[in-house]
Amino acid sequence: NPNNETCPDFTGPDFLQARTDFQSDTVTDAQAAEILEKAWKANNTSQRAIWQRRADDDAAAAKAIEEQAVQAEAARAEELAKDLEIARRDEIKKNKEKFLPIPDRPPPSHSVIRVRPWALNRMSKGKYCPLWYWTPAGLDDSEHDCIDDDAMVISHVDGISSFMPAASAKESRAAVADADLTWEEFSQAVPRYVLAM
């Protein structure tokens, strides 16, 4: 680096031959040393300018390479993000249930009880309904009922004929009379029966 170089002492014995080459009738030894010093400084100034231009060129080239690398990395990241988004969309199409939104609500405080529609229909009309439909056996029977939800039957009420769901019209064949329930079944059915009221 020419910026770190210092001008030598041209009046010393090391530069005696160089001063002698410049000496003449009109140029003294001190003037020859001054000429040598001016020549060195001019040469050093030129070398500094050349060195600075090279340093600037090298820095500009390094900056350009770095910018190219940053742009290439950004392009790779963008391409990867696109690929991931496409893969995510494909995954959502294949597994819709997996990506269903989860509702923000508290968990239920009691379990959902599915009672045979026939029993609920009787209760809503204020008619007697056996407790058996609220026992574990009755609930299992209502879940395993094989009647199609869309099946309809004709109902005759007060002389008027109408269609109603088959599940609402059919009493279970496995139903047990209240008097034949065990105490355990009775104690399980009564709270459910009261909640259904």
Side-chain angles (χ1 to χ4, degrees), residues 115-136:
V115 180
R116 181 179 285 271
W118 178 85
L120 292 176
N121 191 26
R122 300 255 320 167
M123 282 190 72
S124 67
K125 291 179 180 179
K127 295 181 179 178
Y128 165 75
C129 181
L131 281 175
W132 177 84
Y133 288 98
W134 279 267
T135 64

Side-chain angles (χ1 to χ4, degrees), residues 130-151:
L131 281 175
W132 177 84
Y133 288 98
W134 279 267
T135 64
L139 297 176
D140 286 344
D141 181 67
S142 68
E143 286 188 14
H144 295 95
D145 191 6
C146 61
I147 294 178
D148 184 8
D149 290 340
D150 295 330

Side-chain angles (χ1 to χ4, degrees), residues 16 88 91 188 190:
L16 177 62
R88 188 182 73 81
E91 179 72 16
Q188 290 171 340
V190 168

Side-chain angles (χ1 to χ4, degrees), residues 40-88:
W40 184 91
K41 287 181 179 178
N43 185 45
N44 183 261
T45 301
S46 174
Q47 292 295 323
R48 284 183 183 189
I50 292 169
W51 186 88
Q52 190 61 48
R53 278 196 302 271
R54 285 182 185 163
D56 292 344
D57 291 345
D58 291 346
K63 186 176 181 181
I65 290 171
E66 184 178 346
E67 286 176 358
Q68 287 176 351
V70 168
Q71 290 173 354
E73 184 62 31
R76 279 194 297 272
E78 185 177 345
E79 189 67 27
L80 178 63
K82 286 180 183 176
D83 291 344
L84 289 174
E85 179 63 21
I86 291 170
R88 188 182 73 81

